[in-house]
Amino acid sequence: MRTFWIYFCIFLCLSISTQTFLYFSGTETYAFSPLYMLGQLIIITLIASIVSLMLRKKKNDYKQEKAN
């Protein structure tokens, strides 16, 4: 579960920095909407959970291979 939170924080920081960059460098008015932010949080959660599950599975496979 710790890897999930690590990747969640990494992807959240990347998303916030991207949104901040778009806000300050955009030529048009850039507005935040709660629905858009909720969608981003859902996507970040899904990506972080998939990555943490993949790494956990890879780690377990390595331990089983090493035991043989």
Side-chain angles (χ1 to χ4, degrees):
M1 195 66 182
R2 183 176 66 188
T3 57
F4 168 78
W5 290 111
I6 291 170
Y7 282 105
F8 182 80
C9 290
I10 290 171
F11 293 135
L12 186 64
C13 290
L14 286 173
S15 175
I16 290 171
S17 63
T18 303
Q19 296 303 318
T20 305
F21 176 76
L22 288 174
Y23 179 77
F24 286 117
S25 68
T27 56
E28 300 176 0
T29 304
Y30 191 78
F32 295 109
S33 69
L35 187 60
Y36 181 71
M37 295 173 103
L38 179 66
Q40 278 193 340
L41 280 176
I42 290 171
I43 290 171
I44 290 170
T45 305
L46 287 173
I47 291 171
S49 62
I50 289 170
V51 170
S52 65
L53 287 174
M54 286 173 50
L55 288 177
R56 185 181 322 158
K57 191 173 193 177
K58 186 176 179 181
K59 189 176 182 181
N60 288 340
D61 289 344
Y62 176 72
K63 284 183 180 179
Q64 288 176 355
E65 183 180 307
K66 190 175 180 181
N68 291 333

